[in-house]
Amino acid sequence: MAGASKPRLGLIGFGAFGRLTARYLAASFQVIAHDPAATDGEGVATLADLGAAAACPVVILAVPVGALEETLAAITPHLQPDALVIDVGSVKVKPARAMQAALPPGVRIVGTHPLFGPQSARDGIAGFRIAVCEVRGAKAARRVAAFCRRALTLKVFQVSPEDHDREAATVQGLTHLIARVLLKMEPLPTRMTTASFERLMQAVDMVRHDSPAVFHAIERDNPYAAGVRDRFFALAEMARGELDEG
Amino acid sequence: MAGASKPRLGLIGFGAFGRLTARYLAASFQVIAHDPAATDGEGVATLADLGAAAACPVVILAVPVGALEETLAAITPHLQPDALVIDVGSVKVKPARAMQAALPPGVRIVGTHPLFGPQSARDGIAGFRIAVCEVRGAKAARRVAAFCRRALTLKVFQVSPEDHDREAATVQGLTHLIARVLLKMEPLPTRMTTASFERLMQAVDMVRHDSPAVFHAIERDNPYAAGVRDRFFALAEMARGELDEG
């Protein structure tokens, strides 16, 4: 059977992003997913207990950044000595440190951040972006990058966790903060709209359904996010002052 | 000659928006433009002195909102008693009042706000939006609305100046304020970008070249803009407080 001959891949977490991951990896792997909340593999994964998923040669952690440490503690006893562990969180410095600290020395570690989500990936992911960070094992990082490029046709950026978080603090930190404020201002106008306002609303719509956990990871678990926020608000206050003045 | 038989239309102001206006009205009118700074009608208008432009049966004021009152004073002596005067400013309450106060009683007045600019109109204006406000003369407003709909294939919203400014305070006030702050934060990331961040950047790019006069009209001459800003900043401060707290 073709399915049985594919390499096994453990997927810890079968939420919105876990399911998206399984959908695109099912062509290349037999996906063994674990998630206490999941009841159906949706044709792209076989649900299993934590031990079975964690014992695969490749293990992807698709859990919220806030749940990463407890997940690492739970999977460690089941990992193969030379397993490859990959996370997919929206920030990279903190998870890289947590994985380094928790996982046995033979385990190779790669951090990834797919710069898209279930909303934007609705019509496919070809040409979308992913950041790949070497954490432990240069060869493993290159393999993951090559797979993303060739099999998933993603645009790959190999960067350090620090460089990633520095850019993401602006890219995601600002977008989510602005979107969150605009969502609180709803209902917003829909009649006399301009092209630029419509783009702004499209940006809002793309993150509208992101979970509070994603928002918190982006804003709180990124060591550079508070600095970007401070800068944005300082400049905004300056612009506001100039306007209210005259 | 076909050109000579078209009705004459006076255009006061031949800046970026004046030229855009002439480009789309040249098919239906002989455009007589006046602008001390212009040296070339660019094939869509005949440059003339203020008196000649203001003496046309229809006169469009394509000047900054801040220059409207002095423009009204300058054209009044030249206007035909039953002229139709139309402004194209980004706000409508203040110009409507100024035109009501300054223009002789027989002159009909229509306020318009094309919800697009030279940037967004680069590939045509079909389907774009315009607000049309009756200021003096219901029939004149209906005629302008019908022309915009049929000859220019615009989507027309007939609203009061107050309703216009209330929506525009959010649509334009927020977009321009956010864009202005983001422009001050440049250079912004271009590598690890998300789809939502890219939409945000597209919104910024669309207003990047708008003049300070446009920004000031939107933020200062709209009676509702300060209230929208206050609400945006209050909500932003709340979100920021929640994030910096825990």
Side-chain angles (χ1 to χ4, degrees):
Chain A
M1 218 171 82
S5 69
K6 289 183 209 162
R8 290 161 66 88
L9 179 146
L11 179 62
I12 314 295
F14 203 61
F17 201 83
R19 293 199 295 276
L20 180 68
T21 305
R23 210 157 77 221
Y24 284 98
L25 296 185
S28 311
F29 297 92
Q30 188 186 348
V31 180
I32 314 296
H34 172 71
D35 190 327
T39 53
D40 183 358
E42 301 187 2
V44 289
T46 305
L47 295 183
D49 60 24
L50 181 74
C56 294
V58 179
V59 178
I60 294 183
L61 310 176
V63 299
V65 174
L68 190 64
E69 296 209 32
E70 61 176 305
T71 303
L72 291 169
I75 63 165
T76 297
H78 308 285
L79 288 176
Q80 293 186 15
D82 62 345
L84 167 60
V85 173
I86 301 168
D87 89 308
V88 297
S90 302
V91 295
K92 297 272 58 77
V93 171
K94 198 174 162 179
R97 281 183 200 152
M99 292 191 286
Q100 274 277 19
L103 298 176
V107 170
R108 290 151 309 148
I109 307 168
V110 176
T112 74
H113 178 203
L115 292 151
F116 50 88
Q119 293 294 316
S120 46
R122 221 176 253 172
D123 302 321
I125 60 169
F128 278 24
R129 295 159 193 242
I130 189 166
V132 173
C133 305
E134 175 187 330
V135 179
R136 191 193 284 157
K139 205 174 148 192
R142 280 198 304 273
R143 264 182 60 207
V144 169
F147 179 85
C148 290
R149 206 175 281 124
R150 288 177 207 149
L152 303 179
T153 63
L154 295 172
K155 202 175 278 179
V156 176
F157 295 91
Q158 272 193 268
V159 287
S160 69
E162 287 73 20
D163 281 351
H164 170 275
D165 280 12
R166 214 172 281 125
E167 283 206 20
T170 299
V171 169
Q172 299 198 282
L174 277 187
T175 309
H176 281 252
L177 187 67
I178 291 168
R180 197 176 157 96
V181 175
L182 291 177
L183 284 169
K184 284 190 184 166
M185 294 184 83
E186 287 188 325
L188 289 162
T190 54
R191 291 188 310 168
M192 278 170 286
T193 57
T194 58
S196 54
F197 182 75
E198 276 164 22
R199 297 298 161 119
L200 194 61
M201 288 300 104
Q202 286 165 6
V204 170
D205 280 336
M206 281 174 178
V207 301
R208 178 187 293 278
H209 300 290
D210 281 359
S211 69
V214 168
F215 182 65
H216 271 212
I218 286 168
E219 302 290 354
R220 283 190 177 176
D221 295 331
N222 183 326
Y224 306 98
V228 170
R229 279 202 298 279
D230 288 347
R231 196 158 159 245
F232 177 80
F233 281 109
L235 289 167
E237 273 307 323
M238 219 193 292
R240 190 194 192 186
E242 281 165 26
L243 287 169
D244 291 344
E245 214 167 65
Chain B
M1 218 172 82
S5 68
K6 289 181 209 164
R8 291 163 64 88
L9 179 144
L11 178 62
I12 313 296
F14 202 60
F17 201 84
R19 293 198 295 276
L20 180 68
T21 305
R23 211 158 75 222
Y24 284 98
L25 295 185
S28 311
F29 296 93
Q30 188 185 351
V31 179
I32 313 297
H34 172 71
D35 191 326
T39 55
D40 183 0
E42 300 187 1
V44 289
T46 304
L47 295 183
D49 61 23
L50 181 75
C56 294
V58 179
V59 179
I60 294 183
L61 309 176
V63 298
V65 174
L68 190 64
E69 295 207 32
E70 61 177 304
T71 303
L72 291 169
I75 63 166
T76 296
H78 308 284
L79 288 175
Q80 293 186 15
D82 62 345
L84 167 60
V85 174
I86 301 168
D87 88 310
V88 296
S90 303
V91 294
K92 297 270 62 75
V93 170
K94 199 174 158 177
R97 280 182 201 154
M99 292 191 288
Q100 275 276 20
L103 299 176
V107 170
R108 291 149 309 148
I109 307 168
V110 176
T112 73
H113 177 203
L115 292 152
F116 51 88
Q119 293 295 316
S120 48
R122 220 175 253 174
D123 302 320
I125 60 169
F128 279 22
R129 294 158 194 244
I130 190 168
V132 173
C133 304
E134 175 187 331
V135 179
R136 191 193 285 156
K139 204 173 151 195
R142 280 199 304 273
R143 262 182 62 208
V144 170
F147 180 84
C148 291
R149 205 175 281 124
R150 287 176 207 150
L152 303 179
T153 63
L154 295 173
K155 202 176 279 179
V156 176
F157 295 91
Q158 272 193 269
V159 287
S160 69
E162 288 73 22
D163 280 350
H164 169 275
D165 281 11
R166 212 172 282 126
E167 283 207 21
T170 298
V171 168
Q172 299 199 282
L174 276 187
T175 308
H176 281 253
L177 187 67
I178 291 168
R180 197 177 158 95
V181 175
L182 291 176
L183 284 170
K184 284 191 184 167
M185 294 185 83
E186 288 190 322
L188 289 162
T190 54
R191 291 188 310 166
M192 278 170 287
T193 55
T194 57
S196 54
F197 181 74
E198 277 164 21
R199 298 298 162 118
L200 195 59
M201 288 302 102
Q202 287 167 6
V204 169
D205 279 338
M206 282 175 176
V207 301
R208 177 187 294 276
H209 301 290
D210 281 0
S211 70
V214 168
F215 183 65
H216 271 213
I218 287 168
E219 302 290 353
R220 282 191 178 175
D221 295 331
N222 183 325
Y224 306 98
V228 170
R229 278 202 300 279
D230 288 346
R231 195 159 159 242
F232 178 80
F233 280 110
L235 289 167
E237 274 306 323
M238 220 194 290
R240 190 193 192 187
E242 280 165 26
L243 287 169
D244 292 343
E245 216 168 65

